[in-house]
């Protein structure tokens, strides 16, 4: 018998016989002693290892060789006894001839084999009798098929070159109980069909990613040993010790994985690499994830029309668009997503957990309230010592929406939609203002009474009213931080014109100066456009800060509604003036003067004149009159204590909205007022540009201007105002080519969104 085995080994190792050993037609033997069986199986295992080595090193196009003949073992005629050295059981070999022309096809003839091809062996690496594979070719085909399908369905992540994910839906479709059970039983002949099914059911319920990883490296049958050890998907990823060539794998607890100890190091390395492909996270609404740096995020390439979307960077964060694979998010209930949602990922520059809590506390608390006019925080994650927040990606911000709709029609749909959005924004702001935070919202690195912004004459000393640090606030309301979504996913009755939502309110700043894109607050020589006067007056700031800013936006909103986006730019030009302390032009809504040795602020005369001109516009209805009166008398008020509270503002706006919905004449019938004073004559006529006129051209009435005429005339302003150049970096030598003449300061990011 051993001579036969020696001959078999010689045939397997011959370089002229690289073909796989065929399966035997039949094995017939009497029950042998344990010693004979052990010696026989050990020898066969050595043969299989040699066959495996040759199969791996076989060149792509081997020369034709004759197939290895099958070996038949005849039944012994006598009783098998433990042989001594002098006598051994006689074994007769019958070597059938291969039919002519059938060389290389001998694997189709036998039905059973003492040795099996590499892919048909149980991949445990052990040499016990239970590791011998006696499966037919169906098991090996199933393994190859599953591995190929997983490989074909993998997707390369655009943020991780040469790294892939196998989406969850693909794993669910390919890895079924029947497929797993077939794989287990094919490679574990000692396991019953029922036991294989039980393992398969457990694998599909609790260890699908684990089995997918094993199947990809052709060790799927090892799922039984791992399940018996209590290892499931919750234990992934397994930890590999760095700089260790043996590549041992262990659990997060530090305990080694016993089932993998007998694996070859290359198999453990492959497992460590592939497991990340199978364990890409599934993001759920409102959840926080702590991710390993090796995690492959489930982001897929953007569409061709989304390629122009760029990363935006601010003082505290950067924002970039990503599209999440539809099987790797549960943000929306809809299952009809073909590409997955487009989201904005906001990465905070700071690694401080406290700063992250400031950013996320209000967002997470207000998210479940599903307010239609507050941006939704979808999920957060920590990765690479950086914190990330995920939001829906907006179609535009409010400023860009105005620019994309330059000449709105003054009809019922537009007017009512505008009023609903104003009311909704006020309602969202009320929710923010009423929220009590658990982390005091103060300025990092500064005490409550020691907040200094700017240098020299332009420096501002801020203090915070006692107790205000415990309430939510925005601190940087501007058109760029109000986002427009063409489709409201959360409303049961979405408006066809879309919805506006307040964004970037997580940090709850006391001021907007520290949120400027690429601008160092220490170099600022002028005030932000929508900043209230208390900052310049060195008075304590509070939630009333937001009310002033909201009044500025409302006045611009009404301007757009009556005369279009060009008039908004004209308004910015008209109220712009040289600041008394720096000599640089600003477009604030107030003016600070020195009276009797004290600073005093007043609503800028040009702002009041503009409001009166809007009252006298030919399309101005009773509703618009009431909106203008509310804005000027309750929002744009110098004394912060006299400004309207957000709750009271909501009540007033809801009354106007209700009246406008039931009374079309109130909402739309023009009833322009005559100017109440001569100062409105200094405001430009609100006529949209015609023909090839410049977008920011405005028409002035008789007034004392350079080259003033007794009749109306057009004043074309084409050069960038000095303040828009100097405000960028605080240097007169810098001139930004992209800065538009009428852009409010600080520089807005006039693109599709301004989350940062």
């Amino acid at each position: 018998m051993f001579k036969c085995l020696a001959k078999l080994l010689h045939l397997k190792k011959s370089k002229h016989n690289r073909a796989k050993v065929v399966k035997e037609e039949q094995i017939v033997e009497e029950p042998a002693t344990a010693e004979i069986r052990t010696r026989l199986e050990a020898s066969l295992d050595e043969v299989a290892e040699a066959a495996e080595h040759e199969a791996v090193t076989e060149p792509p196009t081997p020369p034709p060789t004759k197939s290895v003949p099958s070996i038949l073992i005849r039944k012994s005629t006598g009783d098998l006894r433990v042989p001594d050295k002098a006598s051994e059981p006689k074994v007769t070999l019958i070597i059938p001839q291969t039919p002519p022309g059938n060389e290389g096809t001998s694997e189709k003839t036998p039905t059973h084999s003492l040795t099996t091809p590499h892919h048909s062996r149980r991949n445990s690496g052990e040499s016990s009798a239970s590791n011998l594979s006696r499966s037919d070719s169906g098991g090996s085909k199933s393994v190859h098929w599953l591995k190929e399908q997983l490989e074909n369905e993998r997707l390369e992540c655009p943020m991780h070159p040469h790294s892939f994910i196998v989406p969850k839906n693909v794993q669910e479709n390919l890895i079924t109980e029947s497929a797993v059970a077939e794989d287990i039983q094919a490679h574990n002949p000692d396991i019953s069909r029922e036991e294989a099914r039980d393992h398969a059911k457990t694998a599909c319920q609790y260890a699908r990613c684990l089995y997918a990883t094993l199947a990809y490296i052709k060790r799927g049958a090892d799922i039984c040993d791992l399940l018996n050890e209590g290892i499931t998907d919750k234990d992934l990823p397994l930890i590999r010790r760095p700089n260790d060539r043996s590549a041992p794998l262990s659990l997060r607890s530090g305990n080694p994985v016993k089932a993998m100890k007998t694996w070859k190091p290359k198999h453990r390395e492959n497992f460590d690499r592939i497991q990340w492909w199978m364990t890409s996270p599934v993001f759920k609404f409102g959840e926080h994830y702590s991710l390993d740096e090796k995690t492959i995020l489930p982001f897929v390439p953007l569409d061709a029309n989304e390629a122009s979307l760029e990363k935006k960077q601010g003082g505290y964060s950067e924002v970039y668009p990503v599209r999440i694979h539809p099987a790797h998010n549960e943000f929306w209930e809809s299952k009809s997503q073909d590409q997955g949602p487009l989201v904005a990922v906001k990465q905070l520059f700071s690694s401080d957990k406290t700063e992250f809590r400031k950013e996320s506390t209000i967002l997470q608390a207000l998210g479940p309230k599903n307010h239609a006019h507050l941006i939704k925080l979808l999920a957060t994650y920590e990765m690479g010592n950086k914190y990330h927040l995920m939001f829906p990606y907006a179609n535009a911000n409010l400023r860009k929406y105005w620019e994309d709709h330059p000449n709105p029609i003054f009809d019922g749909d537009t007017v009512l939609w505008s009023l609903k959005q104003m009311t909704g924004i006020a309602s969202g702001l009320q929710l923010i203002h009423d929220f009590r935070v658990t982390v005091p919202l103060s300025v990092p690195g500064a005490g409550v009474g020691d907040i200094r912004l700017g240098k020299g004459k332009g420096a501002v000393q801020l203090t915070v009213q006692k107790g205000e640090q415990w309430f939510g606030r925005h601190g940087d309301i501007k058109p760029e931080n109000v986002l427009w979504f063409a489709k409201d996913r959360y409303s049961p009755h979405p408006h066809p014109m879309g919805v506006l939502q307040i964004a970037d309110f997580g940090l709850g700043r006391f001021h907007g100066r520290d949120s400027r894109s690429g601008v160092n607050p220490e170099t600022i020589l002028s005030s932000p456009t929508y900043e209230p006067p208390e900052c310049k007056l060195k008075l304590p700031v509070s939630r009333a800060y937001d009310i002033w800013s909201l009044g500025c936006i409302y006045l611009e909103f009404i301007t757009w509604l009556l005369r279009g986006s060009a008039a908004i730019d004209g308004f910015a030009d008209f109220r712009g003036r040289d600041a008394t302390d720096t000599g640089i032009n600003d477009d604030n809504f107030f003016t600070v003067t020195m009276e009797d040795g004290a600073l005093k602020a007043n609503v800028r005369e040009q702002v009041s004149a503009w409001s009166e001109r809007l009252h006298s516009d030919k399309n101005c209805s009773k509703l618009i009159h009431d909106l203008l009166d509310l804005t000027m008398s309750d929002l744009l008020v110098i004394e912060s204590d006299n400004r309207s509270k957000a709750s009271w503002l909501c009540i007033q706006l809801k009354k106007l909205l209700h009246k406008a919905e039931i009374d079309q004449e109130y909402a739309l019938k023009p009833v322009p007022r005559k100017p109440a004073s001569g100062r409105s004559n200094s405001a430009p006529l609100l006529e949209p540009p015609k023909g090839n006129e410049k977008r920011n051209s405005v028409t002035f009435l008789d007034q004392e201007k350079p080259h003033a005429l007794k009749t109306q005339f057009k004043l074309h302003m084409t050069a960038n105002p000095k303040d828009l150049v100097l405000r960028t970096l605080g240097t007169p030598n810098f001139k930004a080519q992209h800065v538009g003449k009428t852009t409010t300061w600080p520089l807005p990011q006039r693109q599709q969104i301004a989350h940062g």
Side-chain angles (χ1 to χ4, degrees):
M1 180 181 68
F2 292 104
K3 292 181 180 179
C4 296
L5 289 174
K7 185 175 182 179
L8 177 61
L9 286 172
H10 177 71
L11 290 175
K12 289 300 299 179
K13 294 180 180 179
S14 174
K15 71 175 183 178
H16 299 292
N17 294 278
R18 293 189 179 92
K20 299 178 181 178
V21 179
V22 298
K23 300 178 181 178
E24 295 179 327
E25 293 181 358
Q26 186 176 11
I27 302 176
V28 183
E29 64 178 7
E30 294 292 343
T33 64
E35 181 180 353
I36 295 177
R37 178 181 294 276
T38 301
R39 292 167 62 186
L40 176 63
E41 290 173 348
S43 300
L44 292 176
D45 197 68
E46 293 177 1
V47 174
E49 288 294 331
E52 175 185 348
H53 177 73
E54 284 198 341
V56 172
T57 59
E58 187 175 7
T61 56
T65 59
K66 292 184 179 181
S67 61
V68 178
S70 60
I71 301 174
L72 301 182
I73 303 178
R74 285 183 173 177
K75 183 177 181 181
S76 176
T77 57
D79 294 334
L80 287 177
R81 297 182 300 274
V82 178
D84 52 24
K85 295 182 179 180
S87 63
E88 293 180 356
K90 295 183 178 180
V91 180
T92 303
L93 299 181
I94 299 178
I95 305 177
Q97 298 296 325
T98 302
N102 289 343
E103 291 84 357
T105 62
S106 59
E107 66 271 16
K108 297 181 180 179
T109 56
T111 57
H112 296 283
S113 173
L114 285 175
T115 59
T116 59
H118 167 236
H119 55 262
S120 295
R121 286 176 53 84
R122 185 187 180 199
N123 298 310
S124 65
E126 298 176 0
S127 59
S128 64
S130 63
N131 290 345
L132 292 176
S133 174
R134 301 179 183 181
S135 63
D136 57 19
S137 60
S140 62
K141 290 180 179 178
S142 175
V143 172
H144 275 293
W145 177 86
L146 183 56
K147 196 269 184 185
E148 291 173 0
Q149 291 298 310
L150 291 170
E151 187 175 32
N152 292 337
E153 295 293 338
R154 62 182 182 170
L155 299 174
E156 187 170 9
C157 179
M159 300 185 68
H160 303 272
H162 309 294
S163 295
F164 303 85
I165 67 168
V166 178
K168 294 297 182 184
N169 59 329
V170 171
Q171 297 183 40
E172 292 172 358
N173 292 335
L174 295 179
I175 300 173
T176 61
E177 291 186 18
S178 59
V180 177
E182 180 183 353
D183 186 19
I184 292 174
Q185 199 166 23
H187 295 83
N188 295 274
D190 295 337
I191 294 181
S192 66
R193 183 182 299 271
E194 190 65 26
E195 188 178 358
R197 288 178 178 175
D198 290 341
H199 280 302
K201 183 177 181 180
T202 303
C204 291
Q205 288 181 345
Y206 305 105
R208 182 175 266 116
C209 295
L210 177 61
Y211 177 79
T213 306
L214 294 170
Y216 199 94
I217 62 174
K218 300 181 182 180
R219 301 192 68 101
D222 285 341
I223 188 66
C224 298
D225 293 336
L226 291 168
L227 290 178
N228 290 336
E229 197 173 336
I231 298 175
T232 61
D233 284 350
K234 64 180 177 57
D235 299 300
L236 298 181
L238 300 182
I239 309 301
R240 183 173 70 89
R241 191 163 55 209
N243 301 320
D244 190 333
R245 291 189 175 183
S246 63
L249 295 174
S250 62
L251 302 173
R252 284 187 288 270
S253 62
N255 296 328
V257 180
K258 299 177 181 178
M260 294 182 177
K261 281 187 175 181
T262 57
W263 286 19
K264 294 182 178 180
K266 66 178 182 180
H267 293 162
R268 290 193 289 265
E269 289 180 6
N270 287 338
F271 183 95
D272 178 56
R273 179 172 58 92
I274 301 300
Q275 67 176 334
W276 300 102
W277 298 12
M278 307 298 175
T279 56
S280 187
V282 177
F283 291 108
K284 298 180 180 180
F285 186 84
E287 296 292 330
H288 177 72
Y289 300 84
S290 296
L291 303 178
D292 191 280
E293 288 184 299
K294 296 180 182 178
T295 301
I296 304 174
L297 297 171
F299 301 154
V300 297
L302 300 176
D303 294 341
N305 59 346
E306 298 168 345
S308 60
L309 301 179
E310 298 177 353
K311 180 183 296 186
K312 304 176 183 68
Q313 183 169 314
Y316 287 90
S317 63
E318 65 178 5
V319 179
Y320 50 88
V322 300
R323 188 173 289 283
I324 307 179
H325 191 280
H328 284 261
N329 79 92
E330 298 180 8
F331 294 149
W332 292 283
E333 295 181 358
S334 175
K335 301 299 182 182
S336 61
Q337 306 173 43
D338 296 331
Q339 299 175 311
L342 183 67
V343 303
V345 175
K346 181 175 184 178
Q347 176 181 306
L348 304 182
F349 293 149
S350 174
S351 300
D352 187 0
K353 188 175 183 178
T354 301
E355 291 304 305
F356 168 70
R357 290 179 61 196
K358 288 182 181 181
E359 180 81 8
S360 60
T361 298
I362 300 179
L363 291 164
Q364 290 174 338
L366 299 185
K369 297 183 182 299
N370 289 328
H371 195 284
H373 296 275
L374 293 180
I375 190 70
K376 303 296 185 297
L377 177 63
L378 300 176
T380 60
Y381 64 93
E382 179 185 4
M383 183 177 179
N385 202 30
K386 294 291 183 182
Y387 291 97
H388 304 75
L389 301 93
M390 305 174 74
F391 302 92
Y393 201 90
N395 299 90
N397 58 47
L398 180 56
R399 187 173 299 284
K400 190 174 189 303
Y401 179 85
W402 286 337
E403 293 176 349
D404 292 342
H405 301 78
N407 299 302
I409 301 175
F410 193 83
D411 59 6
D413 290 338
T414 305
V415 171
L416 288 178
W417 177 81
S418 300
L419 183 55
K420 286 179 180 178
Q421 302 312 305
M422 293 182 188
T423 305
I425 291 172
S427 176
L429 185 61
Q430 177 189 357
L431 199 60
I432 296 174
H433 282 185
D434 289 345
F435 179 76
R436 293 186 66 91
V437 300
T438 57
V439 179
L441 301 178
S442 57
V443 178
V448 171
D450 184 23
I451 305 172
R452 185 175 179 83
L453 301 175
K455 291 181 178 181
K457 294 182 179 180
V460 174
Q461 187 83 17
L462 296 183
T463 57
V464 180
Q465 287 185 2
K466 185 177 181 180
E468 280 293 314
Q469 68 270 25
W470 296 105
F471 287 94
R473 61 193 171 277
H474 192 289
D476 195 15
I477 293 180
K478 57 183 178 180
E480 290 76 15
N481 282 339
V482 178
L483 305 180
W484 175 69
F485 293 86
K487 181 180 180 181
D488 184 3
R489 294 179 179 269
Y490 299 95
S491 174
H493 305 289
H495 198 285
M497 294 180 67
V499 63
L500 295 177
Q501 295 182 349
I502 302 175
D504 201 28
F505 60 85
L507 284 177
R509 306 176 185 91
F510 282 107
H511 53 86
R513 295 178 180 226
D514 58 353
S515 65
R516 307 307 172 185
S517 301
V519 178
N520 184 351
E522 293 298 318
T523 65
I524 293 174
L525 299 178
S526 186
S527 302
T529 298
Y530 304 100
E531 184 177 82
E534 50 262 36
C535 296
K536 282 288 189 68
L537 297 177
K538 303 179 181 179
L539 298 175
V541 296
S542 64
R543 286 167 286 178
Y545 188 114
D546 292 335
I547 300 299
W548 174 277
S549 302
L550 196 61
C552 299
I553 291 182
Y554 282 1
L555 195 54
E556 291 185 335
F557 212 134
I558 297 170
T559 299
W560 171 82
L561 190 59
L562 289 174
R563 302 308 298 170
S565 60
I568 297 177
D569 293 338
F571 180 30
D573 294 334
F574 176 63
R575 69 177 183 272
R577 57 177 297 175
D578 289 341
T580 57
D581 53 352
T582 63
I584 296 177
N585 187 278
D586 68 64
D587 56 359
N588 291 138
F589 284 70
F590 64 90
T591 301
V592 175
T593 59
M594 182 70 71
E595 296 184 10
D596 300 329
L599 292 176
K600 184 179 180 181
N602 294 286
V603 174
R604 188 159 291 182
E605 183 179 358
Q606 287 80 1
V607 174
S608 299
W610 189 270
S611 174
E612 292 193 19
R613 175 54 63 183
L614 293 176
H615 277 297
S616 63
D617 184 83
K618 62 180 181 180
N619 288 327
C620 191
S621 62
K622 291 182 179 179
L623 169 63
I624 302 301
H625 288 310
D626 290 343
L627 281 174
L628 286 169
D629 291 339
L630 179 64
T631 299
M632 298 301 296
S633 62
D634 293 283
L635 307 183
L636 296 180
V637 179
I638 298 298
E639 295 78 13
S640 60
D641 291 340
N642 293 335
R643 291 177 205 147
S644 168
K645 299 293 189 293
S647 57
W648 188 89
L649 176 61
C650 286
I651 294 174
Q652 300 307 308
L653 289 173
K654 288 179 181 178
K655 288 181 179 179
L656 298 182
L657 177 59
H658 177 71
K659 188 174 181 180
E661 288 176 333
I662 63 176
D663 188 349
Q664 185 177 7
E665 183 175 315
Y666 168 75
L668 300 177
K669 183 179 179 180
V671 285
R673 294 180 187 173
K674 292 182 179 181
S677 63
R679 68 182 178 184
S680 65
N681 290 331
S682 64
L685 288 178
L686 307 179
E687 294 181 358
K690 300 177 182 179
N692 295 325
E693 293 180 8
K694 293 293 183 180
R695 193 180 129 71
N696 50 13
S697 299
V698 293
T699 304
F700 286 90
L701 293 177
D702 294 344
Q703 51 189 299
E704 293 183 2
K705 293 281 182 180
H707 310 292
L709 301 176
K710 294 183 179 180
T711 58
Q712 297 180 11
F713 66 95
K714 300 285 185 178
L715 177 62
H716 298 277
M717 304 177 66
T718 57
N720 288 337
K722 179 172 58 177
D723 65 313
L724 292 181
V725 177
L726 298 183
R727 286 172 189 165
T728 307
L729 292 178
T731 169
N733 296 324
F734 174 83
K735 185 171 183 179
Q737 297 297 326
H738 65 282
V739 178
K741 172 196 163 300
T742 56
T743 303
T744 56
W745 188 91
L747 302 177
Q749 296 175 347
R750 295 192 177 187
Q751 293 151 1
Q752 286 196 342
I753 191 172
H755 288 277

